[in-house]
Amino acid sequence: NAGVTQTPKFRVLKTGQSMTLLCAQDMNHEYMYWYRQDPGMGLRLIHYSVGEGTTAKGEVPDGYNVSRLKKQNFLLGLESAAPSQTSVYFCASSYLQSWDRASYEQYFGPGTRLTVT
Amino acid sequence: DAKTTQPPSMDCAEGRAANLPCNHSTISGNEYVYWYRQIHSQGPQYIIHGLKNNETNEMASLIITEDRKSSTLILPHATLRDTAVYYCIVSLTGNQFYFGTGTSLTVIP
């Protein structure tokens, strides 16, 4: 199993450009997450999904959109990139442990380093 | 979900036990305590979790106080590879984690 993969690994954008980050998992997990990590900071949750076709806002959702059209993929979009969105983006997934609880372990991808100039 | 407080940094001698504290004084009855670590720029890695009882696995032990307002992660024999940022997280559902800034642990040879 490849686990959680992220595409691309690095990207440089100019202010105002748009792009989509792709996260894919092959573990048949129900939950998927997008985080961002700024220098010297912990991870902050952007959006998450509890299943195919569903998405929900996390701690810092502004400026981002997401889609979960297929169970194995979770896309993060930036419609008009800003320098404040320069960050490392991590995707993660977890399985459904019970009807109201995700599994205790989130499996993380290697990250995408995005620079907006 | 309850927020946590951790010391920003700690040092530990190689081979000794590393004890990382976490304060979560506003934790509610059904919230779990999770510990993750992040080595360099990699994605975080799960270590251990618990609700009320102390827990142990092959990586670490988790000691939760009786009132559940604080916990301690114990790495019994720290190695250089344990140098990382350690995050203490409290969550009800397990699908919304607030990582905070964590504790940067440096294991010294």
Side-chain angles (χ1 to χ4, degrees), chain A residues 31 33 35 37 40-43 45 48 50 59 90 100-106 108-110 113, chain B residues 30 32 34 36 38 41-46 49 87 91-101:
Chain A
Y31 292 82
Y33 315 83
Y35 294 89
Q37 184 173 32
M41 303 286 288
L43 281 72
L45 183 64
Y48 65 100
V50 300
E59 187 182 358
F90 287 101
D100 64 343
R101 184 178 298 280
S103 61
Y104 48 83
E105 180 170 5
Q106 292 189 12
F108 282 82
R113 188 173 298 273
Chain B
N30 295 326
Y32 281 74
Y34 302 78
Y36 278 71
Q38 186 175 26
S41 301
Q42 300 175 20
Q45 173 192 22
Y46 165 82
H49 76 288
Y87 297 100
S91 176
L92 178 65
T93 60
N95 60 17
Q96 293 197 56
F97 282 175
Y98 295 89
F99 276 79
T101 53

mmCIF file of all heavy atoms in Angstrom, chain A residues 31 33 35 37 40-43 45 48 50 59 90 100-106 108-110 113, chain B residues 30 32 34 36 38 41-46 49 87 91-101:
data_model
loop_
_atom_site.group_PDB
_atom_site.id
_atom_site.type_symbol
_atom_site.label_atom_id
_atom_site.label_comp_id
_atom_site.label_asym_id
_atom_site.label_seq_id
_atom_site.Cartn_x
_atom_site.Cartn_y
_atom_site.Cartn_z
ATOM 1 N N TYR A 31 -12.503 8.992 6.567
ATOM 2 C CA TYR A 31 -12.189 10.372 6.903
ATOM 3 C C TYR A 31 -10.935 10.836 6.172
ATOM 4 O O TYR A 31 -9.947 10.105 6.073
ATOM 5 C CB TYR A 31 -11.931 10.508 8.404
ATOM 6 C CG TYR A 31 -13.129 10.304 9.289
ATOM 7 C CD1 TYR A 31 -13.560 9.027 9.646
ATOM 8 C CD2 TYR A 31 -13.812 11.393 9.808
ATOM 9 C CE1 TYR A 31 -14.649 8.849 10.473
ATOM 10 C CE2 TYR A 31 -14.901 11.225 10.641
ATOM 11 C CZ TYR A 31 -15.318 9.947 10.969
ATOM 12 O OH TYR A 31 -16.392 9.782 11.805
ATOM 13 N N TYR A 33 -8.477 14.666 5.672
ATOM 14 C CA TYR A 33 -8.229 15.975 6.287
ATOM 15 C C TYR A 33 -7.186 16.751 5.489
ATOM 16 O O TYR A 33 -6.275 16.152 4.912
ATOM 17 C CB TYR A 33 -7.678 15.803 7.710
ATOM 18 C CG TYR A 33 -8.390 14.781 8.559
ATOM 19 C CD1 TYR A 33 -8.077 13.430 8.474
ATOM 20 C CD2 TYR A 33 -9.363 15.185 9.467
ATOM 21 C CE1 TYR A 33 -8.726 12.498 9.267
ATOM 22 C CE2 TYR A 33 -10.012 14.257 10.261
ATOM 23 C CZ TYR A 33 -9.688 12.906 10.160
ATOM 24 O OH TYR A 33 -10.333 11.996 10.947
ATOM 25 N N TYR A 35 -4.510 19.919 6.370
ATOM 26 C CA TYR A 35 -3.913 20.802 7.372
ATOM 27 C C TYR A 35 -2.907 21.722 6.682
ATOM 28 O O TYR A 35 -2.355 21.384 5.644
ATOM 29 C CB TYR A 35 -3.134 20.002 8.422
ATOM 30 C CG TYR A 35 -3.927 19.087 9.309
ATOM 31 C CD1 TYR A 35 -4.184 17.768 8.940
ATOM 32 C CD2 TYR A 35 -4.394 19.533 10.545
ATOM 33 C CE1 TYR A 35 -4.884 16.915 9.779
ATOM 34 C CE2 TYR A 35 -5.099 18.687 11.391
ATOM 35 C CZ TYR A 35 -5.328 17.381 11.003
ATOM 36 O OH TYR A 35 -6.020 16.548 11.836
ATOM 37 N N GLN A 37 0.701 23.981 7.836
ATOM 38 C CA GLN A 37 1.674 24.207 8.896
ATOM 39 C C GLN A 37 2.592 25.349 8.492
ATOM 40 O O GLN A 37 3.349 25.247 7.539
ATOM 41 C CB GLN A 37 2.490 22.952 9.186
ATOM 42 C CG GLN A 37 3.439 23.134 10.366
ATOM 43 C CD GLN A 37 4.118 21.843 10.771
ATOM 44 O OE1 GLN A 37 4.387 20.982 9.951
ATOM 45 N NE2 GLN A 37 4.388 21.694 12.063
ATOM 46 N N GLY A 40 7.385 27.167 12.520
ATOM 47 C CA GLY A 40 7.367 27.274 13.974
ATOM 48 C C GLY A 40 6.010 27.047 14.604
ATOM 49 O O GLY A 40 5.847 27.252 15.808
ATOM 50 N N MET A 41 5.058 26.624 13.796
ATOM 51 C CA MET A 41 3.698 26.436 14.307
ATOM 52 C C MET A 41 3.295 24.972 14.199
ATOM 53 O O MET A 41 3.897 24.202 13.458
ATOM 54 C CB MET A 41 2.718 27.287 13.484
ATOM 55 C CG MET A 41 3.034 28.758 13.469
ATOM 56 S SD MET A 41 2.630 29.548 15.015
ATOM 57 C CE MET A 41 0.838 29.529 14.905
ATOM 58 N N GLY A 42 2.266 24.636 14.922
ATOM 59 C CA GLY A 42 1.689 23.313 14.766
ATOM 60 C C GLY A 42 0.753 23.277 13.568
ATOM 61 O O GLY A 42 0.520 24.292 12.906
ATOM 62 N N LEU A 43 0.236 22.113 13.286
ATOM 63 C CA LEU A 43 -0.695 21.963 12.176
ATOM 64 C C LEU A 43 -2.048 22.564 12.533
ATOM 65 O O LEU A 43 -2.505 22.444 13.679
ATOM 66 C CB LEU A 43 -0.885 20.487 11.829
ATOM 67 C CG LEU A 43 0.208 19.825 10.996
ATOM 68 C CD1 LEU A 43 1.469 19.613 11.816
ATOM 69 C CD2 LEU A 43 -0.290 18.506 10.429
ATOM 70 N N LEU A 45 -6.105 22.673 11.118
ATOM 71 C CA LEU A 45 -7.051 21.981 10.249
ATOM 72 C C LEU A 45 -7.759 22.984 9.345
ATOM 73 O O LEU A 45 -8.357 23.947 9.821
ATOM 74 C CB LEU A 45 -8.061 21.212 11.099
ATOM 75 C CG LEU A 45 -9.086 20.366 10.361
ATOM 76 C CD1 LEU A 45 -8.411 19.236 9.602
ATOM 77 C CD2 LEU A 45 -10.110 19.809 11.349
ATOM 78 N N TYR A 48 -12.139 19.149 6.389
ATOM 79 C CA TYR A 48 -12.088 17.708 6.503
ATOM 80 C C TYR A 48 -13.335 17.103 5.873
ATOM 81 O O TYR A 48 -14.293 17.816 5.534
ATOM 82 C CB TYR A 48 -11.924 17.245 7.954
ATOM 83 C CG TYR A 48 -13.071 17.562 8.877
ATOM 84 C CD1 TYR A 48 -14.012 16.592 9.205
ATOM 85 C CD2 TYR A 48 -13.206 18.822 9.449
ATOM 86 C CE1 TYR A 48 -15.059 16.870 10.071
ATOM 87 C CE2 TYR A 48 -14.249 19.104 10.311
ATOM 88 C CZ TYR A 48 -15.163 18.139 10.616
ATOM 89 O OH TYR A 48 -16.207 18.428 11.473
ATOM 90 N N VAL A 50 -15.937 13.517 6.159
ATOM 91 C CA VAL A 50 -16.278 12.289 6.885
ATOM 92 C C VAL A 50 -16.781 11.213 5.946
ATOM 93 O O VAL A 50 -17.211 10.145 6.397
ATOM 94 C CB VAL A 50 -17.299 12.559 8.007
ATOM 95 C CG1 VAL A 50 -16.741 13.561 9.003
ATOM 96 C CG2 VAL A 50 -18.624 13.044 7.449
ATOM 97 N N GLU A 59 -10.489 24.665 11.321
ATOM 98 C CA GLU A 59 -10.092 25.846 12.088
ATOM 99 C C GLU A 59 -9.811 27.059 11.208
ATOM 100 O O GLU A 59 -10.122 28.193 11.583
ATOM 101 C CB GLU A 59 -8.849 25.506 12.916
ATOM 102 C CG GLU A 59 -8.395 26.563 13.884
ATOM 103 C CD GLU A 59 -7.122 26.145 14.627
ATOM 104 O OE1 GLU A 59 -6.617 25.020 14.403
ATOM 105 O OE2 GLU A 59 -6.631 26.958 15.429
ATOM 106 N N PHE A 90 -0.431 19.450 4.631
ATOM 107 C CA PHE A 90 -0.461 18.018 4.904
ATOM 108 C C PHE A 90 -1.874 17.490 4.735
ATOM 109 O O PHE A 90 -2.845 18.092 5.201
ATOM 110 C CB PHE A 90 0.011 17.717 6.327
ATOM 111 C CG PHE A 90 1.485 17.885 6.538
ATOM 112 C CD1 PHE A 90 1.979 19.031 7.142
ATOM 113 C CD2 PHE A 90 2.373 16.896 6.157
ATOM 114 C CE1 PHE A 90 3.334 19.201 7.350
ATOM 115 C CE2 PHE A 90 3.731 17.054 6.359
ATOM 116 C CZ PHE A 90 4.220 18.208 6.954
ATOM 117 N N ASP A 100 -19.713 7.285 15.876
ATOM 118 C CA ASP A 100 -19.509 8.702 16.176
ATOM 119 C C ASP A 100 -18.047 9.048 16.399
ATOM 120 O O ASP A 100 -17.736 10.127 16.911
ATOM 121 C CB ASP A 100 -20.298 9.087 17.428
ATOM 122 C CG ASP A 100 -19.806 8.347 18.676
ATOM 123 O OD1 ASP A 100 -19.101 7.335 18.521
ATOM 124 O OD2 ASP A 100 -20.114 8.795 19.790
ATOM 125 N N ARG A 101 -17.152 8.162 15.992
ATOM 126 C CA ARG A 101 -15.752 8.437 16.320
ATOM 127 C C ARG A 101 -14.827 7.951 15.216
ATOM 128 O O ARG A 101 -14.945 6.820 14.741
ATOM 129 C CB ARG A 101 -15.381 7.736 17.632
ATOM 130 C CG ARG A 101 -13.961 8.039 18.108
ATOM 131 C CD ARG A 101 -13.713 7.343 19.448
ATOM 132 N NE ARG A 101 -14.610 7.842 20.480
ATOM 133 C CZ ARG A 101 -14.444 8.956 21.141
ATOM 134 N NH1 ARG A 101 -13.395 9.730 20.889
ATOM 135 N NH2 ARG A 101 -15.301 9.329 22.061
ATOM 136 N N ALA A 102 -13.911 8.834 14.855
ATOM 137 C CA ALA A 102 -12.860 8.430 13.922
ATOM 138 C C ALA A 102 -11.797 7.642 14.675
ATOM 139 O O ALA A 102 -11.680 7.726 15.894
ATOM 140 C CB ALA A 102 -12.235 9.665 13.269
ATOM 141 N N SER A 103 -11.028 6.884 13.954
ATOM 142 C CA SER A 103 -9.953 6.119 14.578
ATOM 143 C C SER A 103 -8.950 7.067 15.213
ATOM 144 O O SER A 103 -8.809 8.216 14.816
ATOM 145 C CB SER A 103 -9.258 5.242 13.542
ATOM 146 O OG SER A 103 -8.675 6.036 12.527
ATOM 147 N N TYR A 104 -8.253 6.549 16.238
ATOM 148 C CA TYR A 104 -7.320 7.374 16.982
ATOM 149 C C TYR A 104 -6.101 7.760 16.173
ATOM 150 O O TYR A 104 -5.419 8.723 16.467
ATOM 151 C CB TYR A 104 -6.883 6.651 18.252
ATOM 152 C CG TYR A 104 -6.475 5.213 18.005
ATOM 153 C CD1 TYR A 104 -5.212 4.881 17.571
ATOM 154 C CD2 TYR A 104 -7.386 4.191 18.214
ATOM 155 C CE1 TYR A 104 -4.867 3.569 17.353
ATOM 156 C CE2 TYR A 104 -7.044 2.866 18.004
ATOM 157 C CZ TYR A 104 -5.786 2.557 17.572
ATOM 158 O OH TYR A 104 -5.441 1.273 17.346
ATOM 159 N N GLU A 105 -5.818 7.019 15.127
ATOM 160 C CA GLU A 105 -4.621 7.279 14.341
ATOM 161 C C GLU A 105 -4.987 7.920 13.009
ATOM 162 O O GLU A 105 -5.797 7.381 12.252
ATOM 163 C CB GLU A 105 -3.832 6.008 14.091
ATOM 164 C CG GLU A 105 -2.558 6.232 13.279
ATOM 165 C CD GLU A 105 -1.654 5.032 13.239
ATOM 166 O OE1 GLU A 105 -2.043 3.971 13.766
ATOM 167 O OE2 GLU A 105 -0.550 5.148 12.683
ATOM 168 N N GLN A 106 -4.421 9.076 12.765
ATOM 169 C CA GLN A 106 -4.512 9.692 11.457
ATOM 170 C C GLN A 106 -3.207 9.390 10.720
ATOM 171 O O GLN A 106 -2.126 9.499 11.287
ATOM 172 C CB GLN A 106 -4.721 11.205 11.567
ATOM 173 C CG GLN A 106 -6.083 11.579 12.136
ATOM 174 C CD GLN A 106 -6.378 13.065 12.047
ATOM 175 O OE1 GLN A 106 -5.688 13.833 11.371
ATOM 176 N NE2 GLN A 106 -7.435 13.488 12.727
ATOM 177 N N PHE A 108 -0.689 10.351 7.824
ATOM 178 C CA PHE A 108 -0.334 11.590 7.126
ATOM 179 C C PHE A 108 0.465 11.341 5.857
ATOM 180 O O PHE A 108 1.263 10.393 5.772
ATOM 181 C CB PHE A 108 0.476 12.499 8.047
ATOM 182 C CG PHE A 108 -0.362 13.222 9.057
ATOM 183 C CD1 PHE A 108 -0.746 12.588 10.232
ATOM 184 C CD2 PHE A 108 -0.780 14.526 8.826
ATOM 185 C CE1 PHE A 108 -1.528 13.249 11.169
ATOM 186 C CE2 PHE A 108 -1.567 15.192 9.754
ATOM 187 C CZ PHE A 108 -1.945 14.548 10.924
ATOM 188 N N GLY A 109 0.259 12.231 4.899
ATOM 189 C CA GLY A 109 1.073 12.238 3.698
ATOM 190 C C GLY A 109 2.369 12.994 3.940
ATOM 191 O O GLY A 109 2.581 13.558 5.015
ATOM 192 N N PRO A 110 3.236 13.061 2.929
ATOM 193 C CA PRO A 110 4.551 13.683 3.088
ATOM 194 C C PRO A 110 4.533 15.205 3.043
ATOM 195 O O PRO A 110 5.525 15.840 3.379
ATOM 196 C CB PRO A 110 5.340 13.122 1.908
ATOM 197 C CG PRO A 110 4.308 12.842 0.872
ATOM 198 C CD PRO A 110 3.076 12.409 1.620
ATOM 199 N N ARG A 113 4.889 21.591 -0.194
ATOM 200 C CA ARG A 113 5.434 22.893 0.188
ATOM 201 C C ARG A 113 5.031 23.916 -0.863
ATOM 202 O O ARG A 113 5.438 23.817 -2.018
ATOM 203 C CB ARG A 113 6.951 22.824 0.302
ATOM 204 C CG ARG A 113 7.595 24.077 0.873
ATOM 205 C CD ARG A 113 9.083 23.867 1.126
ATOM 206 N NE ARG A 113 9.316 22.809 2.101
ATOM 207 C CZ ARG A 113 9.346 22.989 3.411
ATOM 208 N NH1 ARG A 113 9.144 24.197 3.919
ATOM 209 N NH2 ARG A 113 9.581 21.982 4.220
ATOM 210 N N ASN B 30 -15.715 12.771 27.965
ATOM 211 C CA ASN B 30 -15.604 11.825 26.864
ATOM 212 C C ASN B 30 -14.470 12.123 25.897
ATOM 213 O O ASN B 30 -14.345 11.477 24.854
ATOM 214 C CB ASN B 30 -16.913 11.789 26.083
ATOM 215 C CG ASN B 30 -18.057 11.251 26.923
ATOM 216 O OD1 ASN B 30 -17.850 10.375 27.756
ATOM 217 N ND2 ASN B 30 -19.233 11.800 26.731
ATOM 218 N N TYR B 32 -10.763 12.146 24.508
ATOM 219 C CA TYR B 32 -9.556 11.343 24.583
ATOM 220 C C TYR B 32 -8.330 12.263 24.549
ATOM 221 O O TYR B 32 -8.364 13.362 23.991
ATOM 222 C CB TYR B 32 -9.472 10.381 23.405
ATOM 223 C CG TYR B 32 -10.324 9.151 23.555
ATOM 224 C CD1 TYR B 32 -11.705 9.204 23.419
ATOM 225 C CD2 TYR B 32 -9.743 7.918 23.810
ATOM 226 C CE1 TYR B 32 -12.486 8.075 23.541
ATOM 227 C CE2 TYR B 32 -10.514 6.770 23.930
ATOM 228 C CZ TYR B 32 -11.881 6.856 23.798
ATOM 229 O OH TYR B 32 -12.639 5.729 23.925
ATOM 230 N N TYR B 34 -4.581 12.342 22.945
ATOM 231 C CA TYR B 34 -3.762 11.730 21.900
ATOM 232 C C TYR B 34 -2.374 12.372 21.932
ATOM 233 O O TYR B 34 -2.228 13.552 22.214
ATOM 234 C CB TYR B 34 -4.351 11.998 20.512
ATOM 235 C CG TYR B 34 -5.760 11.532 20.279
ATOM 236 C CD1 TYR B 34 -6.852 12.243 20.762
ATOM 237 C CD2 TYR B 34 -6.007 10.391 19.523
ATOM 238 C CE1 TYR B 34 -8.153 11.821 20.525
ATOM 239 C CE2 TYR B 34 -7.305 9.967 19.279
ATOM 240 C CZ TYR B 34 -8.370 10.682 19.776
ATOM 241 O OH TYR B 34 -9.656 10.262 19.533
ATOM 242 N N TYR B 36 1.000 12.737 19.365
ATOM 243 C CA TYR B 36 1.629 12.569 18.063
ATOM 244 C C TYR B 36 3.010 13.205 18.122
ATOM 245 O O TYR B 36 3.279 14.050 18.986
ATOM 246 C CB TYR B 36 0.818 13.273 16.967
ATOM 247 C CG TYR B 36 -0.357 12.500 16.443
ATOM 248 C CD1 TYR B 36 -1.489 12.308 17.225
ATOM 249 C CD2 TYR B 36 -0.343 11.965 15.155
ATOM 250 C CE1 TYR B 36 -2.562 11.586 16.739
ATOM 251 C CE2 TYR B 36 -1.418 11.251 14.657
ATOM 252 C CZ TYR B 36 -2.528 11.065 15.459
ATOM 253 O OH TYR B 36 -3.594 10.355 14.968
ATOM 254 N N GLN B 38 6.262 14.797 15.405
ATOM 255 C CA GLN B 38 6.643 15.191 14.062
ATOM 256 C C GLN B 38 8.156 15.314 14.013
ATOM 257 O O GLN B 38 8.744 16.155 14.708
ATOM 258 C CB GLN B 38 5.978 16.513 13.675
ATOM 259 C CG GLN B 38 6.222 16.910 12.228
ATOM 260 C CD GLN B 38 5.463 18.159 11.834
ATOM 261 O OE1 GLN B 38 5.136 18.998 12.662
ATOM 262 N NE2 GLN B 38 5.160 18.298 10.551
ATOM 263 N N SER B 41 10.523 17.640 9.087
ATOM 264 C CA SER B 41 9.444 18.202 8.279
ATOM 265 C C SER B 41 8.476 17.135 7.788
ATOM 266 O O SER B 41 7.672 17.396 6.896
ATOM 267 C CB SER B 41 10.031 18.931 7.079
ATOM 268 O OG SER B 41 10.894 19.953 7.494
ATOM 269 N N GLN B 42 8.527 15.957 8.402
ATOM 270 C CA GLN B 42 7.645 14.878 7.968
ATOM 271 C C GLN B 42 6.236 15.099 8.495
ATOM 272 O O GLN B 42 6.003 15.944 9.370
ATOM 273 C CB GLN B 42 8.175 13.545 8.483
ATOM 274 C CG GLN B 42 9.568 13.196 7.991
ATOM 275 C CD GLN B 42 10.069 11.916 8.630
ATOM 276 O OE1 GLN B 42 9.297 11.105 9.141
ATOM 277 N NE2 GLN B 42 11.372 11.719 8.596
ATOM 278 N N GLY B 43 5.299 14.316 8.007
ATOM 279 C CA GLY B 43 3.953 14.340 8.547
ATOM 280 C C GLY B 43 3.955 13.773 9.954
ATOM 281 O O GLY B 43 4.770 12.922 10.297
ATOM 282 N N PRO B 44 3.062 14.253 10.823
ATOM 283 C CA PRO B 44 3.003 13.734 12.195
ATOM 284 C C PRO B 44 2.754 12.227 12.239
ATOM 285 O O PRO B 44 2.151 11.661 11.328
ATOM 286 C CB PRO B 44 1.834 14.508 12.809
ATOM 287 C CG PRO B 44 1.767 15.771 12.017
ATOM 288 C CD PRO B 44 2.148 15.358 10.618
ATOM 289 N N GLN B 45 3.216 11.636 13.320
ATOM 290 C CA GLN B 45 3.120 10.187 13.523
ATOM 291 C C GLN B 45 2.400 9.927 14.830
ATOM 292 O O GLN B 45 2.737 10.521 15.861
ATOM 293 C CB GLN B 45 4.525 9.584 13.546
ATOM 294 C CG GLN B 45 4.598 8.117 13.900
ATOM 295 C CD GLN B 45 6.019 7.666 14.175
ATOM 296 O OE1 GLN B 45 6.896 8.469 14.502
ATOM 297 N NE2 GLN B 45 6.262 6.386 14.026
ATOM 298 N N TYR B 46 1.433 9.054 14.801
ATOM 299 C CA TYR B 46 0.694 8.684 16.013
ATOM 300 C C TYR B 46 1.610 7.958 16.993
ATOM 301 O O TYR B 46 2.425 7.122 16.593
ATOM 302 C CB TYR B 46 -0.485 7.794 15.634
ATOM 303 C CG TYR B 46 -1.116 7.057 16.794
ATOM 304 C CD1 TYR B 46 -2.041 7.684 17.626
ATOM 305 C CD2 TYR B 46 -0.779 5.735 17.050
ATOM 306 C CE1 TYR B 46 -2.620 7.005 18.681
ATOM 307 C CE2 TYR B 46 -1.346 5.052 18.111
ATOM 308 C CZ TYR B 46 -2.270 5.693 18.917
ATOM 309 O OH TYR B 46 -2.837 5.020 19.963
ATOM 310 N N HIS B 49 -2.727 6.916 22.701
ATOM 311 C CA HIS B 49 -3.890 7.679 23.128
ATOM 312 C C HIS B 49 -4.490 7.019 24.363
ATOM 313 O O HIS B 49 -4.193 5.850 24.670
ATOM 314 C CB HIS B 49 -4.934 7.761 22.014
ATOM 315 C CG HIS B 49 -5.729 6.505 21.824
ATOM 316 N ND1 HIS B 49 -5.184 5.358 21.266
ATOM 317 C CD2 HIS B 49 -7.014 6.207 22.136
ATOM 318 C CE1 HIS B 49 -6.102 4.426 21.228
ATOM 319 N NE2 HIS B 49 -7.218 4.897 21.756
ATOM 320 N N TYR B 87 3.246 16.507 20.143
ATOM 321 C CA TYR B 87 1.984 17.211 20.274
ATOM 322 C C TYR B 87 1.024 16.422 21.158
ATOM 323 O O TYR B 87 0.812 15.218 20.941
ATOM 324 C CB TYR B 87 1.323 17.407 18.915
ATOM 325 C CG TYR B 87 2.101 18.271 17.948
ATOM 326 C CD1 TYR B 87 2.874 17.705 16.945
ATOM 327 C CD2 TYR B 87 2.047 19.656 18.027
ATOM 328 C CE1 TYR B 87 3.582 18.488 16.055
ATOM 329 C CE2 TYR B 87 2.745 20.459 17.138
ATOM 330 C CZ TYR B 87 3.503 19.865 16.158
ATOM 331 O OH TYR B 87 4.201 20.647 15.273
ATOM 332 N N SER B 91 -9.398 15.414 22.001
ATOM 333 C CA SER B 91 -10.463 15.417 20.998
ATOM 334 C C SER B 91 -11.592 14.499 21.418
ATOM 335 O O SER B 91 -11.379 13.428 21.976
ATOM 336 C CB SER B 91 -9.905 14.973 19.642
ATOM 337 O OG SER B 91 -10.935 14.890 18.676
ATOM 338 N N LEU B 92 -12.816 14.926 21.095
ATOM 339 C CA LEU B 92 -13.996 14.127 21.402
ATOM 340 C C LEU B 92 -14.248 13.085 20.323
ATOM 341 O O LEU B 92 -14.477 11.914 20.619
ATOM 342 C CB LEU B 92 -15.210 15.038 21.548
ATOM 343 C CG LEU B 92 -16.547 14.350 21.816
ATOM 344 C CD1 LEU B 92 -16.499 13.649 23.171
ATOM 345 C CD2 LEU B 92 -17.689 15.353 21.773
ATOM 346 N N THR B 93 -14.207 13.510 19.093
ATOM 347 C CA THR B 93 -14.600 12.627 17.997
ATOM 348 C C THR B 93 -13.429 12.059 17.215
ATOM 349 O O THR B 93 -13.603 11.150 16.425
ATOM 350 C CB THR B 93 -15.487 13.383 17.001
ATOM 351 O OG1 THR B 93 -14.738 14.497 16.492
ATOM 352 C CG2 THR B 93 -16.750 13.873 17.676
ATOM 353 N N GLY B 94 -12.238 12.610 17.417
ATOM 354 C CA GLY B 94 -11.075 12.127 16.697
ATOM 355 C C GLY B 94 -10.969 12.646 15.285
ATOM 356 O O GLY B 94 -10.026 12.303 14.564
ATOM 357 N N ASN B 95 -11.907 13.509 14.859
ATOM 358 C CA ASN B 95 -11.802 14.024 13.508
ATOM 359 C C ASN B 95 -11.549 15.527 13.457
ATOM 360 O O ASN B 95 -11.607 16.126 12.400
ATOM 361 C CB ASN B 95 -13.044 13.674 12.687
ATOM 362 C CG ASN B 95 -14.314 14.254 13.289
ATOM 363 O OD1 ASN B 95 -14.259 15.143 14.114
ATOM 364 N ND2 ASN B 95 -15.450 13.740 12.880
ATOM 365 N N GLN B 96 -11.287 16.154 14.577
ATOM 366 C CA GLN B 96 -10.884 17.557 14.601
ATOM 367 C C GLN B 96 -9.768 17.707 15.619
ATOM 368 O O GLN B 96 -10.023 17.809 16.815
ATOM 369 C CB GLN B 96 -12.055 18.466 14.957
ATOM 370 C CG GLN B 96 -13.133 18.509 13.895
ATOM 371 C CD GLN B 96 -14.054 19.701 14.067
ATOM 372 O OE1 GLN B 96 -13.626 20.836 14.099
ATOM 373 N NE2 GLN B 96 -15.330 19.416 14.185
ATOM 374 N N PHE B 97 -8.553 17.698 15.136
ATOM 375 C CA PHE B 97 -7.388 17.810 15.998
ATOM 376 C C PHE B 97 -6.864 19.243 16.000
ATOM 377 O O PHE B 97 -6.714 19.845 14.944
ATOM 378 C CB PHE B 97 -6.263 16.890 15.511
ATOM 379 C CG PHE B 97 -6.437 15.439 15.873
ATOM 380 C CD1 PHE B 97 -5.543 14.493 15.393
ATOM 381 C CD2 PHE B 97 -7.462 15.011 16.692
ATOM 382 C CE1 PHE B 97 -5.681 13.151 15.722
ATOM 383 C CE2 PHE B 97 -7.609 13.673 17.025
ATOM 384 C CZ PHE B 97 -6.716 12.744 16.537
ATOM 385 N N TYR B 98 -6.568 19.780 17.192
ATOM 386 C CA TYR B 98 -5.903 21.068 17.334
ATOM 387 C C TYR B 98 -4.511 20.773 17.863
ATOM 388 O O TYR B 98 -4.351 20.385 19.017
ATOM 389 C CB TYR B 98 -6.687 21.984 18.275
ATOM 390 C CG TYR B 98 -8.034 22.340 17.723
ATOM 391 C CD1 TYR B 98 -9.145 21.548 17.969
ATOM 392 C CD2 TYR B 98 -8.200 23.469 16.924
ATOM 393 C CE1 TYR B 98 -10.376 21.865 17.444
ATOM 394 C CE2 TYR B 98 -9.425 23.793 16.394
ATOM 395 C CZ TYR B 98 -10.514 22.988 16.655
ATOM 396 O OH TYR B 98 -11.742 23.299 16.128
ATOM 397 N N PHE B 99 -3.524 20.950 16.994
ATOM 398 C CA PHE B 99 -2.175 20.491 17.325
ATOM 399 C C PHE B 99 -1.423 21.430 18.261
ATOM 400 O O PHE B 99 -0.522 20.994 18.960
ATOM 401 C CB PHE B 99 -1.364 20.300 16.037
ATOM 402 C CG PHE B 99 -1.585 18.968 15.388
ATOM 403 C CD1 PHE B 99 -2.709 18.721 14.620
ATOM 404 C CD2 PHE B 99 -0.669 17.950 15.553
ATOM 405 C CE1 PHE B 99 -2.915 17.490 14.037
ATOM 406 C CE2 PHE B 99 -0.863 16.710 14.969
ATOM 407 C CZ PHE B 99 -1.984 16.480 14.206
ATOM 408 N N GLY B 100 -1.726 22.690 18.302
ATOM 409 C CA GLY B 100 -0.932 23.601 19.112
ATOM 410 C C GLY B 100 0.504 23.653 18.610
ATOM 411 O O GLY B 100 0.803 23.259 17.477
ATOM 412 N N THR B 101 1.406 24.135 19.455
ATOM 413 C CA THR B 101 2.811 24.281 19.057
ATOM 414 C C THR B 101 3.688 23.151 19.578
ATOM 415 O O THR B 101 4.830 23.016 19.179
ATOM 416 C CB THR B 101 3.386 25.623 19.523
ATOM 417 O OG1 THR B 101 3.163 25.765 20.924
ATOM 418 C CG2 THR B 101 2.725 26.780 18.785
#
